[in-house]
Amino acid sequence: MSSATRHAQVIGAGLGGLTAAAALAQRGWTVRLHERDPEIRAIGAGIYLWGNGLSVLRALGVFDEAVEGAHLGPVAESRDRHGHVVESIPINGEHGPELYTILRRRLIDALAGAAARAGVEIVTGSTAVAATPDGEVKFADGTRRRSDLVVAADGVNSRLRDSLGLLRRRVRMPQGAARMLIPRRPGFVAPADEAKYIEYFSGSRRILYTPSSADRLYVALVCSTGDEHARRVPLDKDAWLRSFPLLEELIGCLDAESRWDRFEFLELRRWSAGVVSVLGDAAHAQPPYLGQGGGCAMMNALGLAEAVTFGEGDLETRLRRWEAAERPVIQHTQRFSYRLGHLNPLPDRPRAALLAVMNRSRSLARMRMRAATTIPTGMNRFPA
Ligand SMILES: Cc1cc2nc3c(=O)[nH]c(=O)nc-3n(C[C@H](O)[C@H](O)[C@H](O)COP(=O)(O)OP(=O)(O)OC[C@H]3O[C@@H](n4cnc5c(N)ncnc54)[C@H](O)[C@@H]3O)c2cc1C
């Protein structure tokens, strides 16, 4: 099967869709990318990108561009409400996995640039509503387009996935987060801690402190969906201050207006139907406790481009092989992250004890970092 004349339609210009579109085009496919919004948006604020996601950026040839100005922290810590360290994961050193924190806008722009340079036709304001296994996509304006391959990367509420009846299980988790980017300045934490990634726990609330560039701090406020004061928008700063009195200065500088997202977990019966593949949050959404939803979406998109271009057999066979190769690591990661969500409702002491056990266990550390330390399929093929 020659890919030279093959055509793909990719639905959704998030991390998954942009990566898939760029990787396919770099491998000789003609690609049309449909995004429903009038422009390509970066939803969220900052993002943790581990070794696997960073490898994908290298494979696409946009690593330097994406990480320019990004933050490279020395350690990721969990702390209790008194500021005591209960877990400490070394990163970026001799023994730790690679991790950058990046502004989402910069990452999306780098991926969109890779797609455009590879010749992807990007069509904004184009909403897909359904697909059929033979590769036909129906759009909201009534038009239909057929292609050899369809990649549905249309996010957690994927209409294409649902039109194909692929969903096996969807869990709307009882937690969510508000995310924001604020100016980074001294005084939020002790001077010795400023470059670290720190997750503070107090009751069922968490505050994630994430330097993401020299002058921007990404902050996520995580709480249960039933915690009406904590999830309020505009932000109820007093509610957060009661839980985290040590972080008074930081909380005082938070944006009152922010976006609140509920966490989701979902699994599909299969990742493809005929020549339609599904990836990213549409196929394997996960709560963000491992910071791997985006990394897995990118890794899977690169693996897909490799499998459909260089695999053996017809396209449907190649898609089944792609799923068999990529699903074990991604499903493991989703499930591990899901279980980490069970820490939230625990009282502070047993949670600290559990985190301390996790901190000591080598096998748990390996399981936790399985995706982060995975070398994505397709890493050996750099763009021409
Ligand atoms: C609080 C929080 C923190 C997170 N932190 C991290 C982190 O640190 N690291 C990490 O790796 N991941 C993180 N994630 C997960 C990560 O953001 C997602 O896994 C990732 O963005 C999913 O990318 P995607 O391309 O699959 O979907 P999306 O980003 O949802 O993109 C889907 C795109 O498709 C478009 N679209 C939707 N429907 C249609 C349609 N019908 N037709 C055309 N276009 C359509 C949308 O407009 C959108 O542009 C976090 C998630 C949350 C909620």
Side-chain angles (χ1 to χ4, degrees):
M1 186 174 83
S2 154
S3 65
T5 55
R6 299 228 126 197
H7 179 58
Q9 296 180 90
V10 178
I11 312 302
L15 298 176
L18 285 167
T19 304
L24 284 165
Q26 287 176 352
R27 285 160 179 75
W29 293 68
T30 60
V31 182
R32 197 174 161 98
L33 173 60
H34 297 268
E35 166 55 47
R36 71 175 169 195
D37 285 340
E39 57 189 27
I40 297 178
R41 288 194 301 149
I43 293 170
I47 186 165
Y48 286 73
L49 215 55
W50 295 87
N52 54 324
L54 296 167
S55 293
V56 175
L57 294 176
R58 291 188 176 99
L60 295 177
V62 291
F63 175 80
D64 291 340
E65 186 182 337
V67 304
E68 194 189 331
H71 184 72
L72 201 57
V75 68
E77 289 180 349
S78 299
R79 296 189 176 202
D80 66 17
R81 73 190 305 259
H82 306 293
H84 300 135
V85 178
V86 289
E87 191 187 25
S88 175
I89 304 171
I91 44 178
N92 289 324
E94 215 177 305
H95 304 294
E98 194 181 16
L99 169 66
Y100 279 82
T101 43
I102 302 179
L103 303 181
R104 286 218 184 215
R105 182 74 262 170
R106 174 163 282 278
L107 178 59
I108 285 282
D109 286 349
L111 293 173
R117 284 191 294 278
V120 173
E121 183 189 356
I122 300 177
V123 189
T124 53
S126 177
T127 303
V129 294
T132 52
D134 61 356
E136 185 176 85
V137 180
K138 189 176 165 201
F139 293 90
D141 63 4
T143 55
R144 291 168 190 267
R145 285 177 181 272
R146 190 181 295 273
S147 53
D148 301 297
L149 170 71
V150 177
V151 182
D154 49 343
V156 70
N157 295 314
S158 172
R159 294 174 77 169
L160 267 62
R161 171 199 68 213
D162 291 344
S163 73
L164 294 161
L166 289 173
L167 190 62
R168 179 200 282 160
R169 181 156 88 106
R170 180 171 185 175
V171 183
R172 291 185 172 83
M173 301 207 38
Q175 298 127 16
R179 288 174 281 176
M180 60 198 80
L181 272 181
I182 62 170
R184 189 178 163 196
R185 62 172 177 75
F188 290 153
V189 294
D193 295 332
E194 273 169 9
K196 296 177 178 175
Y197 304 120
I198 309 176
E199 186 162 33
Y200 294 89
F201 285 85
S202 176
S204 59
R205 299 175 181 170
R206 302 184 186 196
I207 293 185
L208 184 62
Y209 166 96
T210 309
S212 295
S213 74
D215 60 359
R216 307 302 283 174
L217 184 73
Y218 160 40
V219 182
L221 307 174
V222 178
C223 66
S224 63
T225 48
D227 187 342
E228 285 185 14
H229 289 288
R231 63 166 291 186
R232 200 167 276 167
V233 179
L235 192 66
D236 181 345
K237 293 190 184 181
D238 287 340
W240 285 93
L241 201 53
R242 279 195 293 279
S243 296
F244 299 96
L246 283 181
L247 298 178
E248 183 176 3
E249 193 145 347
L250 171 65
I251 291 170
C253 290
L254 295 178
D255 286 340
E257 295 299 333
S258 63
R259 182 193 160 95
W260 203 85
D261 289 294
R262 186 171 186 161
F263 301 159
E264 300 220 35
F265 170 94
L266 64 83
E267 290 182 339
L268 304 192
R269 289 189 291 110
R270 295 190 316 276
W271 280 359
S272 64
V275 299
V276 183
S277 56
V278 188
L279 59 76
D281 280 4
H284 38 80
Q286 54 186 285
Y289 299 120
L290 290 176
Q292 269 293 351
C296 285
M298 293 166 63
M299 183 163 77
N300 206 10
L302 181 65
L304 173 83
E306 274 291 293
V308 296
T309 310
F310 302 110
E312 299 282 322
D314 63 16
L315 199 58
E316 294 183 34
T317 307
R318 293 177 186 202
L319 288 175
R320 281 196 295 276
R321 293 216 181 97
W322 158 66
E323 177 173 348
E326 307 298 332
R327 190 160 175 155
V329 172
I330 291 179
Q331 192 161 292
H332 162 88
T333 306
Q334 283 183 276
R335 292 180 180 181
F336 199 99
S337 188
Y338 178 82
R339 289 189 199 107
L340 285 176
H342 296 328
L343 290 173
N344 282 28
L346 292 181
D348 285 349
R349 279 187 169 206
R351 181 178 46 234
L354 270 175
L355 286 169
V357 169
M358 285 179 66
N359 201 27
R360 283 195 300 270
S361 162
R362 283 205 187 160
S363 63
L364 277 174
R366 266 197 306 276
M367 287 165 73
R368 184 182 195 145
M369 291 298 161
R370 187 163 158 198
T373 53
T374 293
I375 297 172
T377 314
M379 267 312 292
N380 53 347
R381 220 178 300 273
F382 284 78

